Amino acid sequence: MKNWRTLLLGVVLCANTAFAAPQEVDKVAAVVDNGVVLESEVNDMLMSVKQQSKEAKQQLPDDATLRHQILDRLIMDNIQLQMATKMGITVTDDDVNKAIANIAQQNNLTLDQLRSRLAYEGLNYNTYRTQIRKEMLISQVRNGEVRRRVTILPQEVDALAKQLAAQTGNEAEYNLSNILLPLPQNPTQDQVDQTEILAKKLVSELNHGADFAKMAMTYSADPHALDGGNMGWGKLQGLPSLFAQALATAKKGQVVGPIRSGVGFHILKVNDMRDVDQKVSVTEVHARHILLKTSVVLTDAQAQAKLEQVAAAIKSGRANFADEAKQLSQDPGSANQGGDLGWASPDMYDPAFRDALLKLKKGEISAPVRSSFGWHLIQLLDTRQVDRTDAVQKDKAYRLLFNRKFAEEAQSWMQEQRAQSYVKILDGNGQ
């Protein structure tokens, strides 16, 4: 079963407050612009990460290093939540309810079962809802801001689509993990050299058996650091060009890097690989219909009865479908063509129309069908299998380009926001 904490943005690290010990005063761990990160938030997330890592039998760095990573995550979250407030972005209770219902559904759980699972894990349901709301706000801020920075030209889509089409057989997907050793904006040569030395040292240690996830949690500035650096599955074309080039000949289990990008040095690990079939074939239908729209002078019952009479006349040979469509149909787009809708994917139609159409055999006429447009009499003329690989690959090319550019811009944007924000990290005494 999928991890029930998993959201679109990754692992939701919920505060474990159900059995928390009483505290005298909650201390401030960091001041972030007009907000603060509390020690309790750091400690709660620390407990959650440790619990998840224990369940996954994953090695962790020492508490001080882990705390630093967690504090960085919470600071960036705080910056984005303040941005959401300034922008007037809100998430309603209904939005949160739908998100939680979706999480439960994805994991084959009812809401009551999800609540029970949370309680079993020692997680307070109200705190869980609060964390979901925060994740949704952060997602809206980041998506809205970063999307503006992503530009995709038609020529880029066409070029990548041609590249995809030129590939034969299967294409590989990669499950990758990433360690990012960041560089500041406009780094000095000494900063670049020192970071590169560290990157090469880590690569050597990883090649001699060091645990990648632990290294990511210890050193990485990537958003996936607390997930052990795991980026999930993706195709090479969806990765930054530097990554794709370096991974072109990589094997499963291989550590690749260091790779210099605009934000720092990256170390990649190929966790797994799999092949995916490229060919896409879809079923298209050729149908025709007669549409009657209800009004003050034509009730639902009258429209249904009229179409039943027409269907009986056509089936008995006393009437012709095309002639009846030209005379009766109130669909201006098809009436003059005898109701002919041409070839199309069934999903293009109103759900009620589509469902009735898919039940028909070639040449068969439906019973009257009520859709959002009115009452239909439908006839299925023919079906065919169509190779839609070209269209699908253009769509795939666009999505791959968008994901690649979004990932690049998101990292740069987050570093910019952090650099522009006032952040003061306090010691244990609030100094």
Side-chain angles (χ1 to χ4, degrees), residues 288-290 307 310-311 314 321 365-368 376-379:
R288 58 184 175 183
H289 78 140
I290 298 170
L307 289 179
V310 172
I314 294 172
F321 196 107
I365 296 175
S366 72
H376 307 261
L377 195 64
I378 309 168
Q379 183 178 32

Side-chain angles (χ1 to χ4, degrees), residues 198-209:
L198 175 58
K200 290 180 177 178
K201 176 177 178 289
L202 296 185
V203 169
S204 177
E205 292 179 11
L206 289 166
N207 284 329
H208 286 83

Side-chain angles (χ1 to χ4, degrees), residues 168-172 235 274-280 389 393 396:
T168 57
N170 295 329
E171 60 177 343
K235 295 182 176 64
R274 66 188 181 193
D275 290 332
V276 180
D277 191 4
Q278 287 183 229
K279 292 296 180 182
V280 179
T389 305
Q393 290 198 354
K396 183 193 296 183

